[in-house]
Amino acid sequence: MDKVTKYISFIEQILQKYAAFQPVGTWHEYENQIVIDSQNGHFQLMRVVWKEDERIHHCVIHIDLKGEKIWIQEDFTEEGVANQLVDKGVPNSDIILAFYAPYRREDTDFAAA
């Protein structure tokens, strides 16, 4: 299995893990939606729900694959998608925390770009 195929598999596993999560409380008609465009390297977990009279349409995780790098565009998980990818064997140098400004990425343990 080549590197990109492996990364796609890891990303899909992480999205499925979080899609299985269902919060308790006052949330009604709660739905997690995994959106995958692996041909173009786009992966998202969306949360869609009505909470009383308010419509919530929220991106929980957004990841792009650009070349052989994983660009984490959005991450509202507690554990952190980057940490989970490292646990699966992805080197820090292949992960970009794109939700940080480029000048701030240099201060992380991950790739700047």
Side-chain angles (χ1 to χ4, degrees), residues 3 7 16-18 30 32 36 41 52 57 61 74 85 91 95-96 101 110 113:
K3 183 179 357 185
Y7 288 179
Q16 290 169 0
K17 171 186 167 184
Y18 285 99
Y30 190 95
N32 285 321
I36 295 175
E52 299 171 8
H57 182 262
I61 300 170
E74 193 72 80
L85 289 166
I95 300 170
I96 294 126
F110 300 96

mmCIF file of all heavy atoms in Angstrom, residues 3 7 16-18 30 32 36 41 52 57 61 74 85 91 95-96 101 110 113:
data_model
loop_
_atom_site.group_PDB
_atom_site.id
_atom_site.type_symbol
_atom_site.label_atom_id
_atom_site.label_comp_id
_atom_site.label_asym_id
_atom_site.label_seq_id
_atom_site.Cartn_x
_atom_site.Cartn_y
_atom_site.Cartn_z
ATOM 1 N N LYS A 3 1.904 5.357 0.302
ATOM 2 C CA LYS A 3 1.736 6.306 1.412
ATOM 3 C C LYS A 3 0.388 7.023 1.352
ATOM 4 O O LYS A 3 -0.313 7.111 2.363
ATOM 5 C CB LYS A 3 2.879 7.313 1.397
ATOM 6 C CG LYS A 3 2.807 8.264 2.554
ATOM 7 C CD LYS A 3 3.843 9.319 2.757
ATOM 8 C CE LYS A 3 4.988 9.701 2.162
ATOM 9 N NZ LYS A 3 5.829 10.737 2.691
ATOM 10 N N TYR A 7 -2.661 6.963 4.031
ATOM 11 C CA TYR A 7 -3.154 8.177 4.679
ATOM 12 C C TYR A 7 -4.672 8.315 4.510
ATOM 13 O O TYR A 7 -5.370 8.690 5.456
ATOM 14 C CB TYR A 7 -2.453 9.416 4.128
ATOM 15 C CG TYR A 7 -1.017 9.568 4.571
ATOM 16 C CD1 TYR A 7 -0.257 10.645 4.130
ATOM 17 C CD2 TYR A 7 -0.397 8.650 5.423
ATOM 18 C CE1 TYR A 7 1.060 10.807 4.529
ATOM 19 C CE2 TYR A 7 0.921 8.804 5.816
ATOM 20 C CZ TYR A 7 1.645 9.884 5.365
ATOM 21 O OH TYR A 7 2.948 10.040 5.763
ATOM 22 N N GLN A 16 -14.757 8.064 10.752
ATOM 23 C CA GLN A 16 -15.756 7.091 11.185
ATOM 24 C C GLN A 16 -15.844 7.021 12.706
ATOM 25 O O GLN A 16 -16.941 6.897 13.265
ATOM 26 C CB GLN A 16 -15.454 5.714 10.586
ATOM 27 C CG GLN A 16 -15.703 5.671 9.099
ATOM 28 C CD GLN A 16 -15.157 4.413 8.443
ATOM 29 O OE1 GLN A 16 -14.584 3.542 9.091
ATOM 30 N NE2 GLN A 16 -15.319 4.326 7.131
ATOM 31 N N LYS A 17 -14.711 7.123 13.364
ATOM 32 C CA LYS A 17 -14.697 7.114 14.836
ATOM 33 C C LYS A 17 -15.539 8.261 15.386
ATOM 34 O O LYS A 17 -16.366 8.072 16.267
ATOM 35 C CB LYS A 17 -13.257 7.217 15.333
ATOM 36 C CG LYS A 17 -13.109 7.443 16.820
ATOM 37 C CD LYS A 17 -11.655 7.670 17.192
ATOM 38 C CE LYS A 17 -11.523 8.213 18.597
ATOM 39 N NZ LYS A 17 -10.135 8.516 18.941
ATOM 40 N N TYR A 18 -15.331 9.454 14.863
ATOM 41 C CA TYR A 18 -16.065 10.613 15.365
ATOM 42 C C TYR A 18 -17.508 10.659 14.869
ATOM 43 O O TYR A 18 -18.373 11.202 15.549
ATOM 44 C CB TYR A 18 -15.322 11.909 15.039
ATOM 45 C CG TYR A 18 -14.137 12.084 15.950
ATOM 46 C CD1 TYR A 18 -12.863 11.749 15.541
ATOM 47 C CD2 TYR A 18 -14.307 12.522 17.265
ATOM 48 C CE1 TYR A 18 -11.775 11.868 16.395
ATOM 49 C CE2 TYR A 18 -13.231 12.637 18.131
ATOM 50 C CZ TYR A 18 -11.967 12.313 17.687
ATOM 51 O OH TYR A 18 -10.906 12.418 18.537
ATOM 52 N N TYR A 30 -30.175 14.793 15.453
ATOM 53 C CA TYR A 30 -28.733 14.920 15.321
ATOM 54 C C TYR A 30 -28.216 13.969 14.247
ATOM 55 O O TYR A 30 -28.552 12.794 14.237
ATOM 56 C CB TYR A 30 -28.119 14.576 16.676
ATOM 57 C CG TYR A 30 -26.671 14.876 16.785
ATOM 58 C CD1 TYR A 30 -26.240 16.068 17.324
ATOM 59 C CD2 TYR A 30 -25.721 13.962 16.345
ATOM 60 C CE1 TYR A 30 -24.905 16.338 17.443
ATOM 61 C CE2 TYR A 30 -24.380 14.243 16.453
ATOM 62 C CZ TYR A 30 -23.980 15.429 17.002
ATOM 63 O OH TYR A 30 -22.659 15.710 17.107
ATOM 64 N N ASN A 32 -24.489 13.050 12.025
ATOM 65 C CA ASN A 32 -23.116 13.242 11.576
ATOM 66 C C ASN A 32 -23.042 12.792 10.127
ATOM 67 O O ASN A 32 -23.579 11.739 9.778
ATOM 68 C CB ASN A 32 -22.142 12.405 12.408
ATOM 69 C CG ASN A 32 -21.906 12.980 13.778
ATOM 70 O OD1 ASN A 32 -21.808 14.179 13.941
ATOM 71 N ND2 ASN A 32 -21.810 12.123 14.771
ATOM 72 N N ILE A 36 -16.609 12.548 1.686
ATOM 73 C CA ILE A 36 -15.307 12.117 1.190
ATOM 74 C C ILE A 36 -15.230 12.305 -0.316
ATOM 75 O O ILE A 36 -16.092 11.835 -1.055
ATOM 76 C CB ILE A 36 -15.042 10.636 1.540
ATOM 77 C CG1 ILE A 36 -14.947 10.461 3.052
ATOM 78 C CG2 ILE A 36 -13.764 10.138 0.855
ATOM 79 C CD1 ILE A 36 -14.799 9.022 3.505
ATOM 80 N N GLY A 41 -8.870 14.611 -2.784
ATOM 81 C CA GLY A 41 -8.192 14.768 -1.505
ATOM 82 C C GLY A 41 -8.917 15.613 -0.481
ATOM 83 O O GLY A 41 -8.275 16.330 0.280
ATOM 84 N N GLU A 52 -33.666 23.097 19.135
ATOM 85 C CA GLU A 52 -34.838 23.947 19.336
ATOM 86 C C GLU A 52 -35.157 24.625 18.003
ATOM 87 O O GLU A 52 -35.395 23.945 17.028
ATOM 88 C CB GLU A 52 -34.611 24.911 20.493
ATOM 89 C CG GLU A 52 -34.368 24.172 21.814
ATOM 90 C CD GLU A 52 -33.926 25.066 22.944
ATOM 91 O OE1 GLU A 52 -33.943 26.298 22.779
ATOM 92 O OE2 GLU A 52 -33.573 24.521 23.994
ATOM 93 N N HIS A 57 -25.228 23.695 11.378
ATOM 94 C CA HIS A 57 -24.547 23.013 10.274
ATOM 95 C C HIS A 57 -23.068 23.326 10.472
ATOM 96 O O HIS A 57 -22.605 24.422 10.187
ATOM 97 C CB HIS A 57 -25.063 23.565 8.943
ATOM 98 C CG HIS A 57 -24.474 22.897 7.754
ATOM 99 N ND1 HIS A 57 -23.424 23.434 7.051
ATOM 100 C CD2 HIS A 57 -24.796 21.732 7.140
ATOM 101 C CE1 HIS A 57 -23.120 22.637 6.055
ATOM 102 N NE2 HIS A 57 -23.931 21.594 6.085
ATOM 103 N N ILE A 61 -14.497 18.244 11.448
ATOM 104 C CA ILE A 61 -13.164 17.912 10.944
ATOM 105 C C ILE A 61 -13.137 18.176 9.444
ATOM 106 O O ILE A 61 -14.054 17.787 8.726
ATOM 107 C CB ILE A 61 -12.810 16.425 11.198
ATOM 108 C CG1 ILE A 61 -12.830 16.088 12.680
ATOM 109 C CG2 ILE A 61 -11.449 16.080 10.588
ATOM 110 C CD1 ILE A 61 -12.726 14.594 12.973
ATOM 111 N N GLU A 74 -9.522 22.047 9.690
ATOM 112 C CA GLU A 74 -10.385 22.300 10.857
ATOM 113 C C GLU A 74 -10.357 21.067 11.731
ATOM 114 O O GLU A 74 -10.351 19.941 11.230
ATOM 115 C CB GLU A 74 -11.813 22.580 10.387
ATOM 116 C CG GLU A 74 -12.714 23.158 11.437
ATOM 117 C CD GLU A 74 -12.365 24.605 11.754
ATOM 118 O OE1 GLU A 74 -12.771 25.494 11.000
ATOM 119 O OE2 GLU A 74 -11.677 24.825 12.777
ATOM 120 N N LEU A 85 -3.156 10.828 14.002
ATOM 121 C CA LEU A 85 -2.416 10.415 12.813
ATOM 122 C C LEU A 85 -0.995 9.986 13.182
ATOM 123 O O LEU A 85 -0.491 8.982 12.671
ATOM 124 C CB LEU A 85 -2.389 11.549 11.786
ATOM 125 C CG LEU A 85 -3.732 11.835 11.103
ATOM 126 C CD1 LEU A 85 -3.687 13.176 10.381
ATOM 127 C CD2 LEU A 85 -4.095 10.710 10.139
ATOM 128 N N PRO A 91 4.406 10.538 10.014
ATOM 129 C CA PRO A 91 5.428 11.426 10.577
ATOM 130 C C PRO A 91 4.923 12.869 10.692
ATOM 131 O O PRO A 91 4.149 13.330 9.854
ATOM 132 C CB PRO A 91 6.588 11.334 9.585
ATOM 133 C CG PRO A 91 6.027 10.759 8.344
ATOM 134 C CD PRO A 91 4.777 10.020 8.708
ATOM 135 N N ILE A 95 2.336 16.337 8.271
ATOM 136 C CA ILE A 95 1.090 16.899 8.800
ATOM 137 C C ILE A 95 1.236 18.410 8.919
ATOM 138 O O ILE A 95 2.193 18.901 9.523
ATOM 139 C CB ILE A 95 0.750 16.298 10.177
ATOM 140 C CG1 ILE A 95 0.584 14.772 10.076
ATOM 141 C CG2 ILE A 95 -0.511 16.955 10.752
ATOM 142 C CD1 ILE A 95 0.495 14.067 11.424
ATOM 143 N N ILE A 96 0.282 19.134 8.355
ATOM 144 C CA ILE A 96 0.271 20.594 8.443
ATOM 145 C C ILE A 96 -0.987 21.019 9.175
ATOM 146 O O ILE A 96 -2.098 20.604 8.819
ATOM 147 C CB ILE A 96 0.308 21.237 7.045
ATOM 148 C CG1 ILE A 96 1.660 20.925 6.389
ATOM 149 C CG2 ILE A 96 0.101 22.742 7.119
ATOM 150 C CD1 ILE A 96 1.545 20.301 5.075
ATOM 151 N N ALA A 101 -2.143 30.232 11.211
ATOM 152 C CA ALA A 101 -1.515 31.099 10.215
ATOM 153 C C ALA A 101 -0.130 30.540 9.882
ATOM 154 O O ALA A 101 0.523 29.947 10.750
ATOM 155 C CB ALA A 101 -1.398 32.517 10.762
ATOM 156 N N PHE A 110 4.773 20.203 13.995
ATOM 157 C CA PHE A 110 4.373 19.660 12.696
ATOM 158 C C PHE A 110 4.963 20.504 11.573
ATOM 159 O O PHE A 110 5.588 21.536 11.812
ATOM 160 C CB PHE A 110 2.849 19.581 12.615
ATOM 161 C CG PHE A 110 2.269 18.689 13.682
ATOM 162 C CD1 PHE A 110 1.792 19.220 14.865
ATOM 163 C CD2 PHE A 110 2.247 17.317 13.503
ATOM 164 C CE1 PHE A 110 1.278 18.399 15.864
ATOM 165 C CE2 PHE A 110 1.745 16.482 14.503
ATOM 166 C CZ PHE A 110 1.257 17.024 15.679
ATOM 167 N N ALA A 113 4.532 23.738 6.029
ATOM 168 C CA ALA A 113 3.803 23.649 4.737
ATOM 169 C C ALA A 113 4.423 22.581 3.871
ATOM 170 O O ALA A 113 5.394 21.991 4.201
ATOM 171 C CB ALA A 113 3.807 24.973 4.005
#
